[in-house]
Amino acid sequence: MPLIRIFLLLLLCLNCCTYSAIGQSEPIPESRIRKLVQQAWEDYKDANFEKSLINSRVALNYATSSKNDYLIAKSYKIIAGNYSELSEFDKAIFFYNKALFYANKTNNDSIKYSLHNNLGNLYCFEKQQFDKGINYYKKSIAYSLKINDISQVYFTNVNIAWAYFDIGKFDEGYPYLKFVGNNIKKYGDESTEIVVNMLNGMYSNFKNDNAAANTYFKNAIAAGKDSDERSDLAYAHLEYSKFLTKTKRYKEAYDNLILYNQITEELYNQEKLKKASIAGFNLELDEYKRQIDKIESEKSSQYQSLKKSRIIVVLFVLISFILLFLLITLIKNIRYKKKLNVELLEAKEIAEEASLLKTQFISTISHELRTPLYGVVGITNMLLEEHKELSRSQHLSSLKFSARYLLSLVNDILQINKIEENKVVLENLTFNISDEITMIKNSLSFLSQKNNNQITIEIDHQIPEYLIGDKLRLAQILMNLVSNALKFTKDGEVEIIVKLSKVEEKFHFLDFLIKDNGVGIAIVDQGKIFEKFVQVGRKDEDYQGTGLGLSIVKRLLVLFGSTISLQSNIGEGTSFSFTIPFEHDPQKTKHIIDEIEVDLSSDDVYKILIVEDNIINQLVTRKIIEKHNYVCNVVDDGFGALKILENEQFDLILMDINMPLMNGFETTKRIRLQGIKTPIVALTAFDKDEITEEAISSGINDIIIKPFEPVKLFKIINYLIKEAKNAG
């Protein structure tokens, strides 16, 4: 009994203290919270982001305490808007989703419309995730119709049409543009006049109605000159330039492209000034985010405190020592789970950061390896060309093979990274299957001779002469499988068999079989050979590669919509088989060939400027250029290029990107600002996908990745020079 009385006294004291603490917290009037939210909104519209974030954070704190879901959603919406204006788009999306979570707890469809529309804008035009953005737009329209706000439906339809047109889905976007056209007099205003005319121009261009397209684009540009929407005017010039290029009005196309670059440069400079003015404030943004997260945490703590108080009341009534003990145990478990959740979140953040660092590291290391490899491959080729007596040298052949193997390794690592990030898109090229496989056989002759193997080819005569598909990815698949077979076969045979399995309309389904009579693969190992960096049956003296080849093969076949099958037994050899459909269309094949055909027989002597800081790469590139009877000048950096262009004219400029003092992008921009129209080709070790967007915006005409095949370089050089001369 004395023990029970002590517990009763403790529980009574704790219960009184808890209710006393709750009673001391006075509720904040809703009118005051609304006033704070309105002030934060006014500060946001006046671009006073710091003050807006402070007021919205205080409003969020009060709204959370009052459990007012609508005001919580409004506060998060304003916070997200501030981050969006400060170009912190990931944080903006985070807080818009927070706002949407609380908005969905209310019956206010107006704020739901606004939040879905804003998320659509961010995903479509900032994150370039169009499918996700368009989905948000469509939900936004549903809420607008629910509140019968057709004017908002009008503006959202403009955004959806633009998003579809940006990704080339004109037929899907046209119904939304048609709705806009039917309602433009009733709901249109100056803010959409530029965009609506531009979209009509894009659609007319798509439909090959050149007269209508020309009129719409001119109307868009005229409206833009009388408007403050400079960004929309820039896009109107850009789309008009594309249309003019298509209709072979190159001079006007170039003029509009210049106007686009000028307006974009002005907006870019304004954005830089804006960012510079808030540079000090940006350091506080993360702290504000932590404070907002703290509000959520405090809300959870208050809820847990209230829950604990109720449990204490129940325990006070029941007076059970056993239940009190269980309560203490439960509280400890909750704290442990909270701690575990925090650790999991931290681990997730570390993993995401590690993934980003991995991508950056792979990009950097591939560039750093390609640059010296360009020199090694180039100088090796020069030695073989200038000293014919060395053509049979095993040392030089080994050097050339090793350099190309190292380049292949770099490309494999980059390839697997691109596939994992869904950056690989299949291309449509015309090719002859027999020629492609013969070329693969010849390129692997060194490896086949090393292990005294024979490569035999069997191709079904029913397969058409020319097919359409991604021949480069197919070659990569076959190269990996055949080279793998050669490595694990000695004094044997590797067979490449291709048969036509079926024809559906224009598509011919080809069955590929790569078969060897080598060491074979144990059944226990067959399930894991397609994983990254996995090698089976490896001995220290063996040369087995990195374990990436089969992993790349499997992932590339997924892109083709195919799978790979394996049959193997120890000592009996291995067979890999898969099926890929390729298109057969003679008219389309002729069109593709006509597009890529370039005349290399010209006797004209062109003058080329090489901008390159690496001395070895200067030597290699210069030798390749001068070997084809071109006149060549070399400068070490961007400043040297600008200086020589003041006094001399060139037919084409080969521009390195990664240079000290001033990189290739900045150099190109300055060249274009001086009115120099000379074609510029980026000659770089960077991966093409990483720099294409920035290269185009800076004024670069094309990109070639080092090391490269000289024939490809001269095709591009001749094409660009002749195009420039015809435009002039």
Side-chain angles (χ1 to χ4, degrees), residues 679-697:
I680 299 176
V681 176
L683 200 60
T684 178
F686 281 111
D687 185 65
K688 189 172 183 177
D689 292 339
E690 295 178 10
I691 65 170
T692 297
E693 186 176 342
E694 190 172 358
I696 293 171
S697 63

Side-chain angles (χ1 to χ4, degrees), residues 416 526-535 546-552 554-555:
I416 202 78
Q526 291 179 13
K528 60 186 178 182
I529 63 169
F530 294 103
E531 298 174 10
K532 290 187 297 184
F533 307 112
V534 169
Q535 298 156 323
T546 60
L548 284 173
L550 291 179
S551 178
I552 291 174
K554 183 178 180 180
R555 286 164 168 80

Side-chain angles (χ1 to χ4, degrees), residues 67-90:
K67 299 180 181 178
N68 189 319
D69 293 325
Y70 172 75
L71 291 177
I72 293 173
K74 282 282 284 185
S75 301
Y76 273 129
K77 178 188 171 186
I78 297 170
I79 292 166
N82 278 280
Y83 278 110
S84 181
E85 286 297 316
L86 296 169
S87 299
E88 294 279 346
F89 301 119
D90 288 332

Side-chain angles (χ1 to χ4, degrees), residues 375-438:
V376 173
V377 173
I379 290 174
T380 305
N381 288 334
M382 286 163 51
L383 286 172
L384 288 170
E385 290 173 1
E386 294 176 6
H387 300 277
K388 302 295 184 182
E389 69 276 10
L390 296 176
S391 60
R392 296 184 180 179
S393 170
Q394 291 185 353
H395 301 300
L396 204 57
S397 297
S398 298
L399 174 62
K400 187 175 181 179
F401 175 80
S402 298
R404 291 198 173 275
Y405 175 77
L406 185 54
L407 178 62
S408 174
L409 171 60
V410 172
N411 290 336
D412 280 354
I413 295 172
L414 197 62
Q415 181 79 16
I416 202 78
N417 193 55
K418 283 169 128 182
I419 296 173
E420 288 177 348
E421 295 184 358
N422 298 318
K423 291 183 178 179
V424 175
V425 179
L426 296 180
E427 298 178 350
N428 281 332
L429 303 169
T430 185
F431 66 97
N432 178 284
I433 191 70
S434 178
D435 291 345
E436 293 298 319
I437 293 178
T438 301

